[in-house]
Amino acid sequence: MPQLNGGGGDDLGANDEMISFKDEGEQEEKISENVSAERDLDDVKSSLVNESENNSSSSDSEAERRPRTRPDSDVYEKTRDYFSEALRRQQDGGFFKSPHYPGYPFLMIPDLTNPYLSNGSLSPSARTYLQMKWPLLDVPGSAAIKDSRSPTPGHLSNKVPVVQHAHHVHPLTPLITYSNEHFSPGTPPSHLSPEILDPKTGIPRTPHPSELSPYYPLSPGAVGSIAHPLGWLMPQQGQHMYSIPPGGFRHPYPALAMNASMSSLVSSRFSPHMVTPPPHSLHQTGIPHPAIVSPAIKQEPSGDLSPSMHHKPLLFDKKPHIKKPLNAFMLYMKEMRAKVVAECTLKESAAINQILGRRWHSLSREEQAKYYELARKERQLHSQLYPGWSARDNYGKRKKRKRDNKPDSKPEGKSFLLLNFSIRNKKQCVQYLPSEKMCDSPASSHGSMLDSPATPSASLASPAAPAATHSEQAQPLSLTTKPEGRMHHHFSVLGKASGLSSSQSAHSTGTSGSSQPMTPILTRPIPFTSLPPSMLSPPSPFHQALHSHHALFQSQPLSLVTKPTE
DNA sequence: CCTCCTTTGAAGTCT
DNA sequence: AGACTTCAAAGGAGG
């Protein structure tokens, strides 16, 4: 957990922060940007070289050599198809029209459905994975944000948004559930209300009367209360768990929400195949999790599950691939990528990710907390769905990566590769540099920035932080303590090379909070993501002062890019 | 077609 | 326990 301080990672984190701040000061002036950038570039390059020197052979086969613990089920794909088909059919005649998303449940909001249709940038399965889950998730984070008592200004809640639909990029992301506006029409089911006491953390989730209602446009009285099997999803007693629309049950993970009362309902909608006890990889519930992705499906861009796709024999021999649950940043990326792409002319994901990384750091703690909380839920749900799954299962599924090498070996082919990349990158970045700058400039001079919550502390209490994952211990505001700017990103490679893994450096126990306890202004980034693109302009001196670290992030990559090849 | 790049974070393995 | 590695998303680029 990045944000947490204390513990072993504390020192590292602290160091990072210090360094980062130092750099901030150095980079405050744009004029000197190039100079520093050059220096940084040199550093980065050298680091890259050093890094690349090291691990040539080891990583290669390592992952692949690893034994696969999990036996694969041939039936998985088949079953999955059945599910897809069945679900698709359901939806065809269902409440919402989003035929393309079989697993897509009640969370479907009319105006949000389109993006999911064919040309979304996200893989259907991936999208479905998250989207399907949201309905089940209670979102404390949202509560925190929406909570009037929270210092977080309303505009913050809009940040997670809805990415412009105009761009036909998939806007709907899990996080939209955090945004009031998205759900305004519907009434959130009470089961999603934050008014839950976290079973593990014991942290009460502040309920909001106004929020207790509907997240989904479901007819309240249709089905009645449904007890949720997952403890952390359990709403308080007396509240309606799930309202099922008369038209049909759309729960992404029916089994999760299924109890005696609704089992019949669900079962009636599922083909016998679906009820068939799944083999290993299929979740015990019999419901395929979106995280499970077969290569074939994974690559299927359209997300359209045409009938022809189902029942493909070849799927039988595919190994089910259960993806890792997305972490907070990944969730953020999914959410914001389209937006960034829309705002900028950037197309290369690497560049986009750099921007996203900076933006991520520029997010307020509250905002990050939302994502951390979402990620936590993701992991929880994932673990619920796939009790036996381990991240290790996916090791070796990808071709190994060559980065993150130790600095001590000598430069070999890899160095070249990295170097080349940086050069190439520069070239490319030059193209979109202007727009990137524009869109990427964080705080900018928008007045709204000033309105950003001045006091993080309160909100901090709310969302769980990226806490000990599995243990799910109380995640006391790890987020709050998280250092806003880390050297990490601009020297991500260095950081990694130095053994500063993100998690390590970041991990901290919220309690100790020794180091970076939200320093009021300077440490607190102004969330610029909430700003409309048009509002994004070069930061005023004032804002720069306030958020010099932003400037750091901004200028660095760009300068690197723009800098003439050395 | 496959891999890399890039980002952060989680979780794995290794020492 | 700490260091290190892999994977998660994404899509252009390069081999």
Side-chain angles (χ1 to χ4, degrees):
Chain A
M1 300 164 281
Q3 276 81 4
L4 296 180
N5 60 14
D10 217 3
D11 292 345
L12 294 176
N15 289 341
D16 260 4
E17 188 180 32
M18 292 178 64
I19 295 171
S20 179
F21 283 123
K22 178 183 174 184
D23 280 356
E24 290 174 12
E26 293 175 352
Q27 307 226 351
E28 276 188 61
E29 294 183 281
K30 300 274 183 179
I31 298 174
S32 61
E33 183 175 313
N34 287 338
V35 175
S36 61
E38 283 191 17
R39 187 193 63 232
D40 291 340
L41 180 58
D42 290 340
D43 292 343
V44 171
K45 280 184 179 178
S46 61
S47 67
L48 288 174
V49 171
N50 289 339
E51 256 179 47
S52 57
E53 298 171 355
N54 208 358
N55 73 0
S56 42
S57 56
S58 63
S59 60
D60 231 271
S61 52
E62 181 178 357
E64 296 179 359
R65 278 180 289 139
R66 288 176 188 145
R68 301 272 194 297
T69 55
R70 178 178 288 275
D72 300 312
S73 78
D74 317 356
V75 199
Y76 165 73
E77 291 295 343
K78 181 180 180 180
T79 308
R80 187 177 184 280
D81 282 349
Y82 281 132
F83 273 100
S84 298
E85 177 67 11
L87 288 170
R88 186 181 63 81
R89 288 174 181 169
Q90 285 183 39
Q91 291 201 340
D92 285 346
F95 202 65
F96 301 102
K97 302 182 171 151
S98 68
H100 296 275
Y101 273 101
Y104 206 48
F106 2 87
L107 189 50
M108 287 306 280
I109 299 170
D111 63 339
L112 294 176
T113 54
N114 282 342
Y116 292 94
L117 299 185
S118 51
N119 52 358
S121 58
L122 300 176
S123 74
S125 59
R127 279 175 283 173
T128 309
Y129 170 65
L130 292 176
Q131 292 163 358
M132 290 172 69
K133 289 187 294 183
W134 300 123
L136 288 177
L137 303 178
D138 89 281
V139 190
S142 69
I145 287 179
K146 292 191 250 181
D147 192 328
S148 59
R149 291 169 296 186
S150 169
T152 305
H155 69 273
L156 287 179
S157 63
N158 294 337
K159 293 183 167 182
V160 187
V162 206
V163 181
Q164 305 96 359
H165 296 227
H167 296 280
H168 66 275
V169 186
H170 153 269
L172 178 54
T173 66
L175 294 177
I176 67 169
T177 53
Y178 289 110
S179 178
N180 289 328
E181 55 192 17
H182 303 302
F183 295 94
S184 56
T187 23
S190 51
H191 71 280
L192 291 180
S193 80
E195 188 172 358
I196 300 174
L197 192 61
D198 189 291
K200 294 178 180 177
T201 62
I203 297 173
R205 297 167 185 174
T206 47
H208 239 317
S210 59
E211 300 168 350
L212 293 184
S213 34
Y215 271 98
Y216 319 117
L218 302 178
S219 73
V223 171
S225 304
I226 297 168
H228 199 293
L230 300 182
W232 57 274
L233 290 175
M234 292 295 284
Q236 282 189 344
Q237 296 178 354
Q239 293 182 346
H240 287 288
M241 304 291 288
Y242 295 95
S243 297
I244 309 298
F249 178 67
R250 286 273 191 297
H251 200 288
Y253 303 117
L256 291 179
M258 196 188 310
N259 66 2
S261 67
M262 64 183 299
S263 60
S264 61
L265 183 151
V266 173
S267 64
S268 65
R269 306 185 65 82
F270 284 75
S271 70
H273 302 290
M274 301 190 325
V275 223
T276 304
H280 306 291
S281 47
L282 193 59
H283 183 259
Q284 53 182 0
T285 62
I287 305 300
H289 192 281
I292 302 177
V293 176
S294 69
I297 293 176
K298 192 177 183 178
Q299 295 175 359
E300 213 282 293
S302 71
D304 178 5
L305 296 177
S306 63
S308 60
M309 285 189 58
H310 309 290
H311 317 302
K312 285 184 182 177
L314 56 85
L315 292 178
F316 284 74
D317 54 1
K318 300 265 183 176
K319 285 187 174 184
H321 180 72
I322 301 174
K323 293 184 178 183
K324 294 175 65 175
L326 302 186
N327 64 34
F329 180 70
M330 286 296 153
L331 292 172
Y332 173 75
M333 282 184 61
K334 285 196 88 164
E335 165 101 8
M336 298 302 296
R337 172 177 294 279
K339 192 173 187 175
V340 171
V341 170
E343 292 175 0
C344 307
T345 57
L346 297 176
K347 289 181 179 178
E348 195 172 351
S349 289
I352 295 291
N353 291 347
Q354 285 184 349
I355 294 174
L356 288 170
R358 285 179 286 164
R359 286 195 176 194
W360 171 254
H361 287 288
S362 70
L363 290 178
S364 67
R365 290 185 177 89
E366 293 85 355
E367 289 172 318
Q368 285 189 345
K370 294 188 300 183
Y371 293 91
Y372 282 113
E373 179 64 13
L374 281 175
R376 187 179 67 86
K377 302 287 187 190
E378 285 282 313
R379 292 193 301 274
Q380 284 183 329
L381 181 57
H382 194 277
S383 64
Q384 294 280 348
L385 290 173
Y386 313 106
W389 181 87
S390 169
R392 181 177 181 279
D393 294 347
N394 291 357
Y395 275 33
K397 301 260 172 135
R398 275 187 180 186
K399 299 305 161 78
K400 72 295 174 139
R401 319 179 103 214
K402 299 176 180 180
R403 308 186 305 159
D404 298 351
N405 300 336
K406 291 179 183 177
D408 51 299
S409 9
K410 41 178 166 201
E412 293 293 333
K414 282 182 184 174
S415 340
F416 274 110
L417 187 85
L418 292 170
L419 207 54
N420 286 339
F421 174 81
S422 72
I423 293 171
R424 172 168 61 94
N425 225 14
K426 281 197 253 176
K427 198 199 295 180
Q428 293 178 339
C429 287
V430 171
Q431 289 182 350
Y432 43 65
L433 176 60
S435 57
E436 175 182 355
K437 252 186 171 169
M438 186 174 71
C439 68
D440 194 24
S441 51
S444 81
S445 54
H446 192 303
S448 66
M449 312 277 287
L450 295 177
D451 295 340
S452 298
T455 91
S457 55
S459 58
L460 310 173
S462 49
T469 58
H470 291 311
S471 58
E472 292 302 344
Q473 328 150 340
Q475 329 181 315
L477 343 181
S478 23
L479 288 177
T480 65
T481 58
K482 175 184 179 182
E484 295 297 341
R486 301 188 303 188
M487 274 303 280
H488 206 62
H489 40 318
H490 52 276
F491 293 110
S492 62
V493 176
L494 286 175
K496 287 181 180 178
S498 64
L500 247 186
S501 76
S502 58
S503 60
Q504 288 173 336
S505 61
H507 276 290
S508 59
T509 65
T511 55
S512 66
S514 60
S515 41
Q516 34 307 113
M518 29 210 137
T519 327
I521 296 179
L522 288 179
T523 59
R524 212 161 162 293
I526 295 174
F528 60 94
T529 53
S530 60
L531 297 177
S534 59
M535 302 301 282
L536 296 175
S537 58
S540 67
F542 176 73
H543 282 97
Q544 283 184 338
L546 288 179
H547 308 283
S548 57
H549 54 294
H550 285 187
L552 172 68
F553 299 146
Q554 293 176 337
S555 59
Q556 283 269 348
L558 292 176
S559 53
L560 277 175
V561 176
T562 53
K563 176 192 166 200
T565 311
E566 297 176 355

